[in-house]
Amino acid sequence: MKRCLLMTILLFGFCLIEANAVQDNNPSTKNEPATSAPAKADEKSLRPTGAKAVLNLPIEKINPVRIPKFEQAPAIDGKLDEAIWQQAAVFKDFYQTHPGDNLAPSRDTKFMMGYDSKNIYIAVYAYDEPDKIRATVAQRDGILNEDNLRIFLDTFNDQRRAYVIGFNPYGIQADGILTEGAGTDFNVDIVMESKGQIVADGWTVEARIPFKSLRYTAGKGKAWGFNVWRNIDRFNDEIDSWMPLSRDKVGQLNQAGRITGFEEIATERTFEIIPSITLVSDGRRVPTLPFSAILNNPTLTDPGRLVNSPVNSDIGLTMKFSITPNITLDAAINPDFAQVEADAPVVTANQRFPIFFAEKRPFFLEGIDIFSTPIRAVHTRAIVDPDYAFKISGKEGRTSFGLLLASDNAPGNYSDEERNDPDILPTISRFLDKNAYIAVARLKRDIGRESNLGFLATSYDFIEKHNKLAGFDGRFRLDKQTTFSFQALGATSRNFFRDIENDTNVYRTGNGLGYQFNFNHSERHFGYNLNGSGRTRDYRADVGFVFRTDTHTNGVNWSYRSDPDPKARLVSWSLFNNATISYDGQGRSQSADSSVDLSLAFTKQNYIEVSYVKFYSRLFEEEFGAKRSVTREGAFLGAPERSTSGNGLFFNYYTSPSQKYTATFSFNRIWNDFDFDFGAGARYPRVSPAALLDPNATLDPGAANGWSSEVSFNYKPTAALEVEFEYSRSSLKRNDTSHTVYVSNIYTTFAKYQFTRYLYARAIVDYSTLESQVRGQYLFGWTPNPGTAFYFGYNDAMNYNGFSPFTGHLERGFRLQNRTFFIKASYLFRKSI
């Protein structure tokens, strides 16, 4: 029945897509400057229902705007005083699309564009009171919470993907990739030049964007999708858009304007090479006794010792070659992945499943949008330390493609202590210095006007660990308010799988299925969504991220959004309701919940969100260990399954009354959540009734009440200095014993001083009471462009009144666990062929 329903939905979607494709091939419906009739139709489609005035679009917003070719390149100094800008295409008459609904903007904006054979030139004059402008000397991509301008370049004119290029009043850059339906990834960096300044009646920016920094199609008759946003932060995060945006239509790129005229571009094959060198000195606390000695004598004390390694040098090479303007080959040999950006601390107590951490390494972030799918079947942090990696990606016609190959030495790279420990060496000898081999292949085909169908395959091979995965995904535009997306993946693995009946790990072949679907309908005020996802018991994705297997979830939600009123004290509000149910492969319920969420947006950047959830949870002992039988006890003491019903209340508040101050506060209260009876380390042993009598008793999960809160305060006293403090606390208390399961406090202090646009110093210190650990990261950086950088850093981790990692005994005071000094330098060589 499920297959028939899915096939019916797909068939219906393809029929609508083909109807749209027929419209695309009908000259009378194309967005061309030939006739006036289509212009009226397009104008009508852009009128928002309920708007106070009908939008009478000027001709340049209906027809593609021709970008003139400059005979002389302007100097990029932010002054806009050169005569060449009189020849530029001018974009004006913006619409306030947030919080207003295509209303007149609070301030005027004038945007200009031209090009020559190698570069695109842009300029903006943003009118404003100079003393009220919110802008800082930020790092790259750090400008989105202040005044800024964003340009959207749909360089393939496919309404699916666009470059987002932004600037603040000082010319600080931000860049990313917007994928329709999936948001914007600002980890992408492109090489460009920009400069801005604050003037008597606002701010100005000039920029030069090389064509060789983009992937694109160009030539006679070719057009790009195009739009410009200006963000005025103090006016309730106001967004002024050159093109009006209808709230009766889902999507952004399908409502963009068009630019054309890029016909005389010098075809260049660009070769980039980035050599890097990293000097590292590590110090680590290591045991002084073999593992077996401590195991056989629990009272034995091992204070450990700090071992400092000699300075190691690591030379790497990253290369990029533009085969065509839209196809790129990337390669890396021993790429340097020095941890310049550290992962934020998180609470790991009472967690059953893995915690996701985002990718931060530049090589893997290049072109990552091509490999991204609704299911995280590709998560490149699974490639820990590659000796080499290759990647080719791009788009040809309607087909996007990508291929990634890597050899990872991390699985066979064991420490000297492990290699020299006679108890550990026999268990790892066959894996020593062996590499894992990874491959990812991706194809995606555009269908109709705004739909696509894709294929993904991955492979991971290591000793006793082999995984192959492949499947299809798609996103279909059914009408202007409705989309449907899906993904289905099949996996086959040769690995160790848990035998539930015998409570053993068996090396065998396992086959599994993962799937996801989403049906979304959104109107001006009302919207609803139907979704589902699942993974069978033997599903594995060794190149991806898998949160949980043997689980299936179905959900439905609806939402209502008010018409915003920028002049009212309550600018807008929305109500959201969501319900989900999860069950395993045998059809047994695992969880269910229903929640309602109220969001309120007030003037002066004040936002409140209140949520209430009612939930049900169910546990089975075979998820945690042995399944009981006639001859064997189960993993749970007493009943083989547990269930609980509870409630949760959530409150969040955000305010940004000025550029200097930003604050957030959240508070969560949960009644009758589960304590899984894991304990939380030596500081918080298990507190179930059974564990209080016998610390080694089998698991006895039970209901518990939880609290969590978080507060953060950001202070920017000058344009160059930023200080932030965050504090979070979470706790869980067992209901039947009234004992505390755990209490976690995390303190984080962040300070950064931006000496210039490219030169900065940063310090981050965090302390976790649950882990009894203090971590510090101190960094001095110089980053004049993507690829060229110099970093000097020091990282350390210390236990404070914590427990020995070797014996588990309490240790008073500070104990250094590890420290690292590093220097990293890289330089971008770029040449056009």
Side-chain angles (χ1 to χ4, degrees):
M1 182 64 184
K2 291 182 181 179
R3 292 181 180 177
C4 293
L5 178 60
L6 180 59
M7 291 301 297
T8 302
I9 294 173
L10 289 176
L11 182 60
F12 178 64
F14 275 115
C15 290
L16 289 178
I17 292 162
E18 288 302 316
N20 286 335
V22 171
Q23 274 195 326
D24 287 345
N25 294 324
N26 185 345
S28 66
T29 62
K30 288 189 176 181
N31 190 16
E32 295 292 342
T35 64
S36 59
K40 292 181 180 178
D42 286 347
E43 178 183 331
K44 183 178 180 181
S45 69
L46 289 168
R47 296 175 186 169
T49 302
K52 295 181 179 179
V54 174
L55 297 177
N56 295 314
L57 293 180
I59 193 69
E60 67 267 17
K61 299 192 180 187
I62 299 171
N63 298 328
V65 177
R66 178 166 287 274
I67 307 301
K69 185 175 182 181
F70 286 174
E71 298 300 326
Q72 178 184 355
I76 306 302
D77 55 15
K79 296 182 179 180
L80 309 188
D81 56 357
E82 296 175 84
I84 192 66
W85 286 117
Q86 302 300 319
Q87 304 174 22
V90 178
F91 302 82
K92 56 184 181 179
D93 299 327
F94 284 57
Y95 302 86
Q96 183 188 146
T97 60
H98 180 273
D101 187 3
N102 293 324
L103 303 177
S106 300
R107 300 292 183 271
D108 289 334
T109 306
K110 181 181 178 182
F111 181 84
M112 293 168 281
M113 177 181 285
Y115 82 102
D116 61 21
S117 62
K118 294 185 177 181
N119 305 288
I120 298 172
Y121 299 96
I122 63 172
V124 61
Y125 205 121
Y127 295 91
D128 207 344
E129 295 90 343
D131 59 331
K132 296 181 180 179
I133 293 171
R134 295 188 178 186
T136 61
V137 184
Q139 283 184 255
R140 190 184 196 97
D141 297 331
I143 66 172
L144 301 182
N145 291 322
E146 56 190 47
D147 291 356
N148 65 83
L149 185 95
R150 277 171 262 180
I151 307 154
F152 300 85
L153 296 176
D154 181 0
T155 55
F156 292 98
N157 195 25
D158 59 12
Q159 301 181 13
R160 296 164 175 84
R161 175 183 176 275
Y163 288 97
V164 183
I165 300 173
F167 308 95
N168 80 348
Y170 293 113
I172 309 298
Q173 301 168 4
D175 40 12
I177 298 291
L178 166 64
T179 302
E180 197 69 87
T184 304
D185 180 4
F186 281 102
N187 289 307
V188 177
D189 292 329
I190 66 174
V191 177
M192 54 184 170
E193 181 183 358
S194 63
K195 192 164 185 182
Q197 62 175 352
I198 296 176
V199 294
D201 56 349
W203 53 276
T204 61
V205 168
E206 282 181 305
R208 177 180 63 85
I209 306 171
F211 281 105
K212 62 186 178 183
S213 293
L214 307 174
R215 296 180 181 181
Y216 63 91
T217 58
K220 190 174 182 179
K222 298 290 186 180
W224 291 4
F226 173 81
N227 200 7
V228 181
W229 282 9
R230 179 187 174 185
N231 191 187
I232 308 177
D233 188 61
R234 71 182 184 277
F235 294 141
N236 304 312
D237 197 27
E238 177 177 323
I239 293 177
D240 301 330
S241 172
W242 178 66
M243 287 294 292
L245 298 176
S246 171
R247 302 186 182 192
D248 287 315
K249 191 173 184 179
V250 176
Q252 178 182 328
L253 300 181
N254 55 2
Q255 303 187 64
R258 300 288 182 271
I259 56 176
T260 188
F262 299 126
E263 298 174 357
E264 300 179 35
I265 300 174
T267 301
E268 297 179 319
R269 290 183 172 87
T270 305
F271 182 69
E272 297 180 4
I273 181 170
I274 305 176
S276 65
I277 182 170
T278 304
L279 304 176
V280 180
S281 176
D282 283 318
R284 294 186 301 115
R285 186 184 180 193
V286 299
T288 58
L289 300 173
F291 175 74
S292 58
I294 299 174
L295 187 65
N296 295 328
N297 187 355
T299 62
L300 195 64
T301 299
D302 185 354
R305 60 191 179 95
L306 191 68
V307 175
N308 294 308
S309 66
V311 176
N312 294 319
S313 62
D314 200 12
I315 298 176
L317 193 66
T318 302
M319 296 167 285
K320 179 188 295 186
F321 179 63
S322 299
I323 301 173
T324 69
N326 53 348
I327 301 175
T328 302
L329 173 67
D330 295 273
I333 302 173
N334 191 31
D336 169 58
F337 292 143
Q339 192 69 1
V340 175
E341 301 293 338
D343 294 319
V346 296
V347 177
T348 58
N350 208 45
Q351 294 285 340
R352 295 176 61 194
F353 306 111
I355 297 174
F356 178 82
F357 291 98
E359 178 63 270
K360 297 180 179 180
R361 299 171 295 179
F363 175 81
F364 291 115
L365 292 173
E366 169 71 24
I368 193 64
D369 57 291
I370 294 177
F371 297 96
S372 298
T373 61
I375 299 175
R376 284 197 177 102
V378 177
H379 181 43
T380 49
R381 283 187 72 143
I383 308 172
V384 180
D385 188 14
D387 288 331
Y388 60 83
F390 300 93
K391 179 167 53 179
I392 185 170
S393 58
K395 184 169 186 177
E396 193 65 37
R398 285 177 165 265
T399 303
S400 302
F401 60 89
L403 177 66
L404 170 65
L405 304 172
S407 174
D408 186 6
N409 66 23
N413 187 13
Y414 292 87
S415 67
D416 290 339
E417 290 74 31
E418 291 170 314
R419 294 168 184 259
N420 296 325
D421 192 317
D423 300 311
I424 298 177
L425 182 60
T427 64
I428 65 173
S429 59
R430 64 187 304 244
F431 306 109
L432 286 177
D433 301 320
K434 298 296 192 298
N435 280 28
Y437 298 95
I438 297 101
V440 181
R442 174 68 166 155
L443 285 172
K444 187 162 66 172
R445 177 74 175 177
D446 294 344
I447 303 171
R449 297 186 65 178
E450 301 173 42
S451 304
N452 58 67
L453 187 65
F455 171 79
L456 177 72
T458 70
S459 173
Y460 187 100
D461 286 289
F462 187 63
I463 300 171
E464 295 183 351
K465 187 177 182 180
H466 306 275
N467 175 250
K468 304 291 185 291
L469 177 147
F472 294 91
D473 62 277
R475 184 176 186 270
F476 308 122
R477 164 81 62 180
L478 304 183
D479 58 43
K480 69 176 184 178
Q481 298 170 329
T482 310
T483 60
F484 173 75
S485 64
F486 83 97
Q487 186 168 15
L489 297 168
T492 182
S493 305
R494 187 70 178 168
N495 206 331
F496 285 94
F497 290 85
R498 184 164 162 262
D499 185 338
I500 297 175
E501 299 299 328
N502 298 311
D503 192 30
T504 58
N505 287 325
V506 179
Y507 188 70
R508 62 175 176 84
T509 298
N511 300 316
L513 172 70
Y515 66 90
Q516 182 269 354
F517 67 87
N518 187 295
F519 181 89
N520 186 74
H521 180 86
S522 180
E523 302 174 9
R524 166 174 299 276
H525 298 296
F526 182 74
Y528 62 89
N529 177 280
L530 305 173
N531 59 80
S533 63
R535 293 163 297 278
T536 59
R537 186 183 299 277
D538 287 350
Y539 174 81
R540 299 288 185 274
D542 290 344
V543 189
F545 177 82
V546 180
F547 178 70
R548 184 181 186 181
T549 60
D550 193 23
T551 185
H552 307 266
T553 301
N554 293 321
V556 59
N557 62 65
W558 62 264
S559 62
Y560 181 86
R561 297 174 294 275
S562 70
D563 277 326
D565 185 352
K567 297 180 180 180
R569 185 172 183 180
L570 176 60
V571 177
S572 65
W573 61 272
S574 64
L575 191 65
F576 179 83
N577 177 255
N578 180 69
T580 62
I581 183 170
S582 298
Y583 48 93
D584 65 14
Q586 301 177 51
R588 301 179 299 181
S589 62
Q590 295 174 324
S591 64
D593 65 76
S594 178
S595 64
V596 60
D597 178 281
L598 176 65
S599 297
L600 307 172
F602 296 91
T603 56
K604 298 182 179 180
Q605 298 286 74
N606 289 282
Y607 303 92
I608 293 176
E609 182 179 11
V610 181
S611 302
Y612 173 78
V613 60
K614 187 173 181 60
F615 63 87
Y616 164 80
S617 296
R618 187 182 183 190
L619 308 178
F620 303 97
E621 66 178 359
E622 58 265 31
E623 298 178 275
F624 295 77
K627 181 179 180 180
R628 65 188 62 195
S629 66
V630 176
T631 58
R632 184 182 62 238
E633 293 184 352
F636 286 174
L637 181 68
E641 67 176 67
R642 309 290 166 88
S643 65
T644 182
S645 297
N647 306 274
L649 184 64
F650 306 87
F651 175 83
N652 298 285
Y653 174 67
Y654 170 89
T655 183
S656 181
S658 73
Q659 177 178 295
K660 289 186 177 182
Y661 309 101
T662 300
T664 61
F665 172 75
S666 66
F667 168 83
N668 305 330
R669 177 76 163 107
I670 298 180
W671 292 269
N672 290 337
D673 198 4
F674 258 123
D675 165 34
F676 300 126
D677 200 20
F678 296 155
R683 191 174 301 279
Y684 292 100
R686 297 165 53 200
V687 295
S688 64
L692 292 177
L693 296 175
D694 178 7
N696 298 316
T698 52
L699 293 178
D700 186 17
N705 293 336
W707 297 78
S708 67
S709 60
E710 182 174 341
V711 60
S712 68
F713 179 74
N714 183 282
Y715 178 51
K716 298 177 181 177
T718 69
L721 178 62
E722 178 182 3
V723 179
E724 185 170 7
F725 173 77
E726 293 183 5
Y727 167 68
S728 65
R729 176 184 173 87
S730 61
S731 64
L732 194 66
K733 188 174 184 179
R734 185 88 177 204
N735 291 355
D736 50 14
T737 64
S738 298
H739 281 61
T740 298
V741 179
Y742 72 88
V743 176
S744 172
N745 297 277
I746 298 177
Y747 304 83
T748 300
T749 302
F750 168 94
K752 185 192 70 174
Y753 192 85
Q754 196 81 27
F755 298 98
T756 68
R757 291 176 59 181
Y758 312 122
L759 189 67
Y760 68 93
R762 186 185 71 196
I764 304 173
V765 178
D766 56 63
Y767 170 53
S768 170
T769 60
L770 186 62
E771 297 179 348
S772 303
Q773 189 173 86
V774 181
R775 298 192 311 173
Q777 184 191 58
Y778 313 93
L779 185 69
F780 177 85
W782 177 66
T783 55
N785 62 55
T788 300
F790 174 84
Y791 298 103
F792 173 73
Y794 168 68
N795 302 334
D796 64 24
M798 294 182 288
N799 280 359
Y800 175 67
N801 292 338
F803 294 84
S804 168
F806 315 124
T807 65
H809 297 161
L810 179 65
E811 298 175 323
R812 295 291 182 182
F814 287 97
R815 295 294 180 99
L816 184 64
Q817 302 300 309
N818 58 72
R819 66 184 179 192
T820 302
F821 292 92
F822 69 89
I823 295 175
K824 172 187 173 181
S826 63
Y827 190 82
L828 168 65
F829 295 93
R830 200 179 204 207
K831 185 174 179 61
S832 298
I833 301 174

